[in-house]
């Protein structure tokens, strides 16, 4: 098996940790990028114990572009294939953003422009190596703007469109880009929310990501039921949809 190093952006998140553990057990190298260095250090120790050939924590903040290049430089020092999985994002309640529009900037930076800028910097290196995998975690919320989370949905929708274009670009060089669209996942981000339908777990999302990579999928909903649900939601005419509370 070719040596592989995975950059995990937002490595402190529950979903990222679940994927990291599975990659470590496969013997991958890991560059764990995020803001909480103490947490990343603990994850690195866990990854090494599980079989990772490398587990290096490094500071990364989607709102600070000056933190991007050191992550890329560390990954490029490793032999073999470089991959990247993006779990960065933030979702304050829509009511808080409505009360303080200044919060919008952080949501957009965390969920769209920061990750997109990082991938734009990484893309030429993947093209030069002629291989690689990019996994971008979007959300079903990005498929259509809804009253309850339209800022977060707008950011994730923009990121999904960006990933589509990046897939078109990098696919010509042998690099595969997979867009994951989870519904509600049992994580810290959703712990205070009630009545979320078709909840899944971080471990199930990680399994779906690995299966999607093996199958060469381009876009993958998890849980799978969200694909027909969102197809129906996207098909609702706008005059009707804007009167609904979904």
């Amino acid at each position: 098996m070719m040596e592989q190093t995975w950059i995990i952006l937002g490595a402190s998140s529950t979903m990222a940790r679940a994927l990291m553990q599975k990659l470590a057990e496969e013997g991958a190298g890991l560059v764990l990028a995020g803001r909480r260095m103490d947490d990343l250090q603990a994850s690195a120790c866990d990854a090494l114990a599980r079989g990772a050939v490398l587990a290096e924590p490094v500071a990364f903040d989607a709102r600070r572009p000056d933190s991007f290049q050191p992550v890329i430089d560390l990954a490029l020092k490793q032999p073999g294939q470089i991959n990247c999985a993006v779990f960065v994002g933030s979702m304050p309640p829509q009511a808080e953003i409505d009360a303080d529009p200044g919060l919008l900037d952080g949501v957009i930076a965390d969920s769209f422009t920061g990750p997109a800028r990082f991938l734009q910097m990484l893309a030429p290196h993947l093209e030069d190596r002629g291989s690689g995998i990019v996994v971008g975690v979007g959300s079903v919320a990005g498929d259509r703007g809804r009253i309850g989370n339209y800022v977060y949905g707008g950011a994730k929708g923009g990121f999904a469109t960006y990933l589509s274009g990046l897939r078109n670009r990098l696919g010509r060089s042998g690099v595969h880009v997979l867009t994951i669209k989870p519904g509600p996942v049992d994580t810290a981000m959703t712990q205070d929310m009630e009545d979320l339908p078709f909840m899944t777990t971080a471990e199930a999302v990680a399994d779906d990501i690995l299966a999607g990579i093996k199958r060469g999928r381009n876009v993958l909903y998890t849980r799978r039921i969200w694909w027909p649900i969102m197809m129906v939601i996207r098909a609702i005419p706008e005059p009707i949809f804007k009167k609904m509370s979904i």
Side-chain angles (χ1 to χ4, degrees):
M1 179 179 177
M2 177 187 294
E3 291 184 78
Q4 297 194 20
T5 298
W6 279 85
I7 301 170
I8 310 292
L9 294 187
S12 293
S13 76
T14 306
M15 285 192 291
R17 191 176 294 111
L19 180 64
M20 175 272 292
Q21 291 172 348
K22 295 178 185 296
L23 293 172
E25 290 167 359
E26 294 181 356
L30 299 168
V31 174
L32 305 178
R35 289 182 290 189
R36 305 200 321 250
M37 293 303 294
D38 54 344
D39 182 78
L40 297 180
Q41 187 61 60
S43 293
C45 292
D46 178 63
L48 291 171
R50 291 173 182 269
V53 296
L54 168 80
E56 190 74 33
V58 59
F60 170 84
D61 187 335
R63 304 183 192 187
R64 288 186 50 230
D66 62 315
S67 71
F68 297 2
Q69 192 62 51
V71 179
I72 294 172
D73 290 343
L74 178 58
L76 292 177
K77 292 178 182 177
Q78 313 310 317
Q81 182 171 297
I82 303 298
N83 306 323
C84 182
V86 179
F87 290 92
V88 184
S90 62
M91 187 178 64
Q94 182 63 48
E96 292 184 10
I97 303 173
D98 293 341
D100 181 5
L103 294 175
L104 185 146
D105 295 343
V107 176
I108 299 296
D110 290 341
S111 304
F112 176 19
T113 55
R117 181 168 176 168
F118 180 90
L119 292 175
Q120 202 70 16
M121 294 168 62
L122 180 64
H125 301 291
L126 300 183
E127 288 175 319
D128 287 344
R129 294 199 177 200
S131 66
I133 300 164
V134 174
V135 177
V137 178
S139 172
V140 296
D143 278 14
R144 191 162 192 179
R146 291 175 285 167
I147 192 169
N149 62 356
Y150 58 89
V151 169
Y152 174 75
K156 285 299 189 180
F159 188 47
T161 300
Y162 170 80
L163 289 171
S164 178
L166 188 67
R167 179 163 43 248
N168 193 297
R169 171 188 171 182
L170 294 184
R172 301 158 196 253
S173 302
V175 180
H176 182 60
V177 178
L178 169 62
T179 303
I180 298 291
K181 294 188 177 184
V185 182
D186 187 11
T187 66
M189 186 180 286
T190 60
Q191 64 183 1
D192 296 326
M193 301 179 184
E194 299 179 356
D195 302 323
L196 295 176
F198 307 114
M199 180 79 78
T200 191
T201 66
E203 290 73 19
V205 173
D207 285 336
D208 285 345
I209 289 173
L210 294 176
I213 291 170
K214 290 178 181 177
R215 295 171 185 167
R217 298 290 299 273
N218 295 313
V219 179
L220 183 64
Y221 288 82
T222 176
R223 297 168 54 184
R224 194 174 301 177
I225 193 172
W226 283 105
W227 179 79
I229 289 174
M230 296 314 298
M231 184 171 62
V232 170
I233 288 176
R234 289 195 305 270
I236 298 172
E238 195 71 13
I240 297 173
F241 186 77
K242 68 183 183 181
K243 299 176 182 179
M244 301 174 70
S245 298
I246 60 173

